[in-house]
Amino acid sequence: MKTTFFTVLALGGFLATSIASPVAVDTSIEKRQDIDLIETSLEALFTQIKEQTGKINATLTPVADAAPETEAQTAADSIAPQLDALAELLDKAGSIGKRAILEGRYFKEDIFKTVSLILYELLGTVKFILIKLGLGPVLIHLVPLILALVKTLKALDKVVDGLLIAVKFIVDDLLKAVGLGLLGLLP
């Protein structure tokens, strides 16, 4: 009797684990694919951001440093679509981060690297714009970009714990560059 009882329990346990195992494997594979999808999305965004910053750099290269106001305003108007596109791309990055939070995805360290590269790309471009044009002509176009950057960093900080602490120095440089540009507007 005891042997039959243990056999039934062992058989029931075997059936339960054999049925449950494929489901657990499928979800781990799905999560792995989701991680790869998020990383691919961020890398694709980084590529698009590099394209937009490359267009900005190509447009501003012939412009003299600290260009006269009329030339600076013309150049600022010509790079406005790229700055708006950068703000939209950063909004997409924020929505990717929020979606990842809601779906409870886990991330690899490569995402931190990609976010850092995006920030360095933006920092270099903003500094280049400020050197060439000053802040006055591009201020109206930089505000949405900075706000989108803040929104993205807040969303991604919830996904990657400590992201804001890690990229604080990059963001500090970016804000310092804009702050120094603001000082240049004072009479």
Side-chain angles (χ1 to χ4, degrees), residues 5-177:
F5 180 69
F6 287 121
T7 305
V8 169
L9 285 178
L11 185 60
F14 174 73
L15 287 174
T17 56
S18 65
I19 292 172
S21 292
V23 173
V25 170
D26 287 343
T27 55
S28 67
I29 289 172
E30 283 178 19
K31 283 188 179 183
R32 178 72 209 155
Q33 290 170 344
D34 290 344
I35 292 169
D36 291 340
L37 179 67
I38 291 292
E39 288 175 1
T40 304
S41 298
L42 281 176
E43 289 171 3
L45 279 172
F46 177 57
T47 303
Q48 292 172 346
I49 286 172
K50 282 175 44 177
E51 289 173 8
Q52 295 300 324
T53 57
K55 289 178 185 177
I56 290 171
N57 292 341
T59 303
L60 294 182
T61 299
V63 177
D65 291 355
E69 191 172 329
T70 56
E71 186 180 346
Q73 189 60 47
T74 305
D77 292 340
S78 67
I79 64 168
Q82 285 82 26
L83 291 173
D84 293 339
L86 284 172
E88 290 175 16
L89 289 172
L90 287 174
D91 281 338
K92 286 182 186 177
S95 66
I96 289 171
K98 285 181 182 178
R99 187 179 67 214
I101 292 167
L102 294 176
E103 295 177 8
R105 296 181 179 156
Y106 299 96
F107 287 86
K108 294 190 303 185
E109 294 173 359
D110 292 339
I111 292 175
F112 171 75
K113 181 183 96 176
T114 305
V115 170
S116 296
L117 289 174
I118 288 171
L119 289 175
Y120 275 122
E121 185 73 23
L122 291 174
L123 174 64
T125 301
V126 168
K127 283 185 174 182
F128 186 66
I129 290 170
L130 294 176
I131 288 170
K132 291 291 189 171
L133 307 178
L135 187 61
V138 292
L139 180 62
I140 192 90
H141 303 293
L142 282 180
V143 170
L145 179 67
I146 299 295
L147 293 176
L149 178 64
V150 168
K151 180 180 168 185
T152 300
L153 289 176
K154 283 183 179 179
L156 291 176
D157 184 51
K158 293 177 184 174
V159 176
V160 182
D161 289 333
L163 178 71
L164 284 179
I165 294 169
V167 298
K168 175 188 179 300
F169 299 107
I170 305 169
V171 176
D172 282 348
D173 275 350
L174 180 65
L175 294 176
K176 185 167 78 174

